[in-house]
Amino acid sequence: MGKKLVNWEISPPGVERTAKFILKPSNCIHKEKIGATVLYKDSKWESHAEKIKPKEIDCVCPFLKEKPMKRNDFLERASIGQSLNKGINFKGLSPEKIISYITQTCKNSLYKVDEYAIRDGIIVYFAAESVGEQIDYLLTAFVREKDGLTQVMFKAVSDEEHGLNGFLNEIISDLQHLASTTQSAQEIGVIKKENVINITDSVVQRSNFNVADGLDIDVRDSLVQRTNFDSTKQDDKVTDNDSNSDELKAIDSIDSKKEKESKLTETQKNAVEQLSQKNIESNTYPKPEKRSNKYVYASIIVLFLILGSFLPVIPHSYTTYEPYITTETYYVDEPYETTETETYYEEVPVTEDVTREKTIVSPNTDEVSMDYGGQSWKRYIDLDGKKGVKISGHISELSGNNCNFDVMDLQTYNSFVNNGYEFDSSMKVYVLKKNVDSSYFSFVPDKSDYYVFHFRKVDLSQTMKVSIEATMEYSTTETAYDTVEKTREVPVTKYREVPKTRQVEKERRVTKNTHISLFEMFV
């Protein structure tokens, strides 16, 4: 699997988050459960853990499709990349049958590149590629028959190592299931056919019996003479009476003729009387021929040679695979608590004096007809929250003769008007310019009030054209915010790999010694 831990930063309230994990199994997964744990801290930095409901998954890895390939390309690619070897033995199945099972198992998912026989067995090549990742998977199967077992050796080759184990395990599992199912279906009962011929209270002569396999002849209380029993088996038998004892039966039948006459039919009585009379008169019985001793000795020697060829006296070594238990080291991710230095930013207020400028009177070049009282501009000057307030400006006469110019507050201006446009000693005048055509002025107001900028003509008969502009300069204390970088220690959960050991079963190739017979060595 890819990332096992997703670390989120601080989440605002009501914002949903989703974690996505991609599972890439290295082998097949059957009925396994995958879960997750959410570790978080609330607004009070208290730790919490929430377990997510596990989900059961099944996955056969990898997902394959056929990949047509030539034999030369197969052999070239099979010599490079990651490889994995595994073997399996079957009993009671021929190599040809196992090859057909392997072909059936790999059908529709692996492409059969080639199949050919060598001196020791049969080799088959298969090729496939994974769906999506397009990774090549090559399979070589070698099948041979040895020591009564059909041995199958697999070699899987791929560009990536993570899917080899699942790829080979699935093929071996399907092959074992197919072979087991087929053998179970072929295990049927064998019914032995047995025939029995019973001869009871009868006379049998000059007859031939062909005793086939499983045929028994039971002769009881009967007369059998000059009758042949031909058998195809050495263990066929005739119970109670043997075929070469016909003459003895005839004698026994003569001695007990009186006892059996009551049981025989009329036809059987006549046959017994005729046969008994003939045997008594001739009083000659055929004797078995004696075989030569040299044939007997030769048969015994041949028998011992045949039996000796089946005795296991010849040393023999063979290679096989056997399971063994070993210790394997693997790693697991364990969580642990620690702290990290976190950088964050904070807005800090900063006060500073700022110089500002504001226009009080804009330039005015309109011609004004001024009476004796003249022309005035009234402006309100607010001193609240301001320091170092200063009013400065410039006046100029554009046409006409010189003029008088003065600046006063509203109260003084009203007194000035009521006094006939004349000043007295009690009036406070901030600017007083007499008989000027152009001049700069400045003053410092001492209160928040209306201030009057006033022009008067020196010559009342003339029309004048004047211009005035005035600005206010002041400083004020303003609060600004600076972004300051700060650090703090926060608790976090991390994961580390911890080595662990476990007992696993593996296979190894071993050489074993045994003894075989002369017959097994040649066969």
Side-chain angles (χ1 to χ4, degrees):
M1 191 167 64
K3 295 199 304 181
K4 299 181 179 179
L5 179 66
V6 173
N7 187 14
W8 286 325
E9 300 298 332
I10 298 176
S11 299
V15 177
E16 296 182 353
R17 291 290 185 91
T18 302
K20 180 180 179 181
F21 296 90
I22 299 177
L23 175 65
K24 293 184 177 180
S26 60
N27 51 23
C28 299
I29 300 175
H30 297 291
K31 295 184 179 179
E32 294 290 341
K33 292 185 178 180
I34 290 184
T37 302
V38 179
L39 304 175
Y40 68 94
K41 295 182 183 294
D42 57 18
S43 59
K44 299 180 180 180
W45 290 102
E46 294 182 356
S47 299
H48 300 273
E50 298 290 340
K51 290 187 176 295
I52 298 177
K53 183 179 178 181
K55 182 177 180 181
E56 185 176 286
I57 63 171
D58 284 273
C59 178
V60 178
C61 177
F63 304 99
L64 301 177
K65 65 177 181 179
E66 294 183 355
K67 183 173 183 178
M69 186 181 301
K70 294 183 179 180
R71 179 179 175 180
N72 292 337
D73 295 337
F74 180 93
L75 296 176
E76 181 180 354
R77 298 186 185 184
S79 61
I80 59 176
Q82 305 293 331
S83 63
L84 180 64
N85 299 322
K86 287 192 178 183
I88 185 174
N89 295 330
F90 292 96
K91 186 176 182 180
L93 293 173
S94 64
E96 292 75 13
K97 182 64 69 176
I98 294 298
I99 289 295
S100 66
Y101 290 166
I102 296 175
T103 303
Q104 182 65 28
T105 300
C106 300
K107 186 178 181 181
N108 298 329
S109 61
L110 284 88
Y111 175 77
K112 188 174 183 180
V113 179
D114 195 8
E115 175 185 347
Y116 61 94
I118 60 177
R119 184 182 62 180
D120 296 334
I122 304 174
I123 296 178
V124 190
Y125 297 142
F126 295 93
E129 68 176 1
S130 59
V131 179
E133 296 179 341
Q134 295 183 346
I135 297 175
D136 291 343
Y137 286 87
L138 309 180
L139 177 66
T140 301
F142 173 58
V143 183
R144 69 176 180 181
E145 188 174 12
K146 187 175 182 181
D147 298 330
L149 298 176
T150 300
Q151 298 178 345
V152 183
M153 276 73 78
F154 289 106
K155 179 181 179 182
V157 179
S158 177
D159 301 335
E160 300 291 339
E161 186 179 4
H162 71 268
L164 276 178
N165 198 44
F167 163 64
L168 200 51
N169 285 343
E170 283 297 317
I171 292 177
I172 293 177
S173 177
D174 292 345
L175 178 60
Q176 287 178 320
H177 176 73
L178 180 59
S180 176
T181 303
T182 306
Q183 281 185 317
S184 299
Q186 291 178 348
E187 290 179 357
I188 60 175
V190 179
I191 302 175
K192 184 178 181 181
K193 180 179 179 181
E194 294 184 352
N195 296 324
V196 179
I197 298 177
N198 296 318
I199 302 175
T200 306
D201 295 336
S202 302
V203 176
V204 180
Q205 59 179 350
R206 295 183 177 89
S207 300
N208 294 320
F209 290 93
N210 186 12
V211 183
D213 292 343
L215 180 62
D216 291 339
I217 301 177
D218 186 9
V219 181
R220 296 184 181 180
D221 300 330
S222 301
L223 178 60
V224 180
Q225 185 179 15
R226 298 181 181 178
T227 300
N228 296 324
F229 295 89
D230 297 330
S231 175
T232 58
K233 285 182 59 178
Q234 294 181 358
D235 57 349
D236 287 340
K237 60 184 178 178
V238 178
T239 60
D240 290 347
N241 299 290
D242 198 75
S243 60
N244 57 5
S245 62
D246 295 341
E247 292 81 2
L248 298 178
K249 290 185 183 334
I251 296 173
D252 292 338
S253 64
I254 294 172
D255 295 335
S256 59
K257 185 170 84 172
K258 293 181 180 180
E259 296 178 359
K260 296 180 180 179
E261 284 180 353
S262 61
K263 300 179 181 179
L264 298 176
T265 61
E266 193 67 29
T267 304
Q268 291 173 335
K269 288 182 181 181
N270 295 333
V272 171
E273 290 177 355
Q274 294 176 1
L275 183 58
S276 300
Q277 184 66 27
K278 184 176 180 180
N279 286 337
I280 293 173
E281 292 176 353
S282 61
N283 197 21
T284 58
Y285 302 95
K287 296 182 180 180
E289 297 179 0
K290 294 183 179 180
R291 296 182 178 179
S292 175
N293 291 335
K294 63 178 181 180
Y295 296 110
V296 175
Y297 296 148
S299 300
I300 294 174
I301 294 174
V302 172
L303 180 61
F304 275 106
L305 291 176
I306 294 175
L307 294 177
S309 65
F310 288 93
L311 295 178
V313 294
I314 302 175
H316 175 68
S317 299
Y318 65 97
T319 302
T320 185
Y321 292 88
E322 66 177 16
Y324 71 98
I325 303 299
T326 184
T327 301
E328 180 183 73
T329 301
Y330 66 101
Y331 295 87
V332 297
D333 291 333
E334 289 188 353
Y336 68 96
E337 298 291 334
T338 185
T339 58
E340 281 187 351
T341 301
E342 181 183 70
T343 301
Y344 67 99
Y345 297 90
E346 189 175 280
E347 300 289 337
V348 179
V350 179
T351 59
E352 59 180 356
D353 292 336
V354 181
T355 302
R356 303 291 184 184
E357 186 177 283
K358 182 179 180 181
T359 300
I360 301 300
V361 182
S362 299
N364 188 353
T365 59
D366 295 334
E367 293 186 2
V368 288
S369 298
M370 294 184 289
D371 56 11
Y372 181 76
Q375 178 69 29
S376 61
W377 287 263
K378 182 173 67 173
R379 297 290 184 270
Y380 184 79
I381 298 176
D382 185 10
L383 303 181
D384 187 20
K386 299 179 179 64
K387 297 184 296 183
V389 179
K390 180 181 178 181
I391 308 299
S392 58
H394 177 262
I395 59 174
S396 60
E397 182 182 358
L398 301 179
S399 62
N401 294 328
N402 296 344
C403 65
N404 297 328
F405 173 73
D406 42 60
V407 179
M408 64 200 83
D409 57 26
L410 183 60
Q411 183 180 357
T412 302
Y413 177 74
N414 292 333
S415 300
F416 172 73
V417 173
N418 294 332
N419 196 32
Y421 296 101
E422 295 292 336
F423 292 105
D424 59 21
S425 58
S426 62
M427 298 179 183
K428 183 177 181 179
V429 180
Y430 292 93
V431 177
L432 180 60
K433 301 284 185 178
K434 293 185 177 181
N435 197 20
V436 294
D437 57 356
S438 176
S439 177
Y440 290 93
F441 67 91
S442 66
F443 69 94
V444 176
D446 53 5
K447 62 181 178 179
S448 297
D449 199 356
Y450 282 98
Y451 290 82
V452 179
F453 298 83
H454 181 253
F455 283 93
R456 290 178 295 156
K457 294 190 294 184
V458 176
D459 187 355
L460 298 178
S461 62
Q462 292 182 349
T463 300
M464 298 186 64
K465 190 175 183 180
V466 297
S467 174
I468 180 175
E469 61 177 333
T471 59
M472 178 176 63
E473 294 181 358
Y474 63 94
S475 63
T476 180
T477 300
E478 295 184 356
T479 300
Y481 290 89
D482 286 344
T483 301
V484 180
E485 181 181 292
K486 294 184 177 182
T487 59
R488 61 188 173 193
E489 296 293 323
V490 294
V492 295
T493 300
K494 292 187 175 182
Y495 290 84
R496 57 190 171 195
E497 288 188 345
V498 179
K500 293 189 177 182
T501 59
R502 60 188 173 191
Q503 300 292 322
V504 296
E505 180 178 313
K506 294 186 176 181
E507 287 186 343
R508 60 187 173 191
R509 189 174 182 178
V510 296
T511 301
K512 293 188 176 182
N513 298 320
T514 185
H515 290 79
I516 62 174
S517 64
L518 185 64
F519 176 78
E520 291 175 326
M521 183 176 68
F522 286 104
V523 173

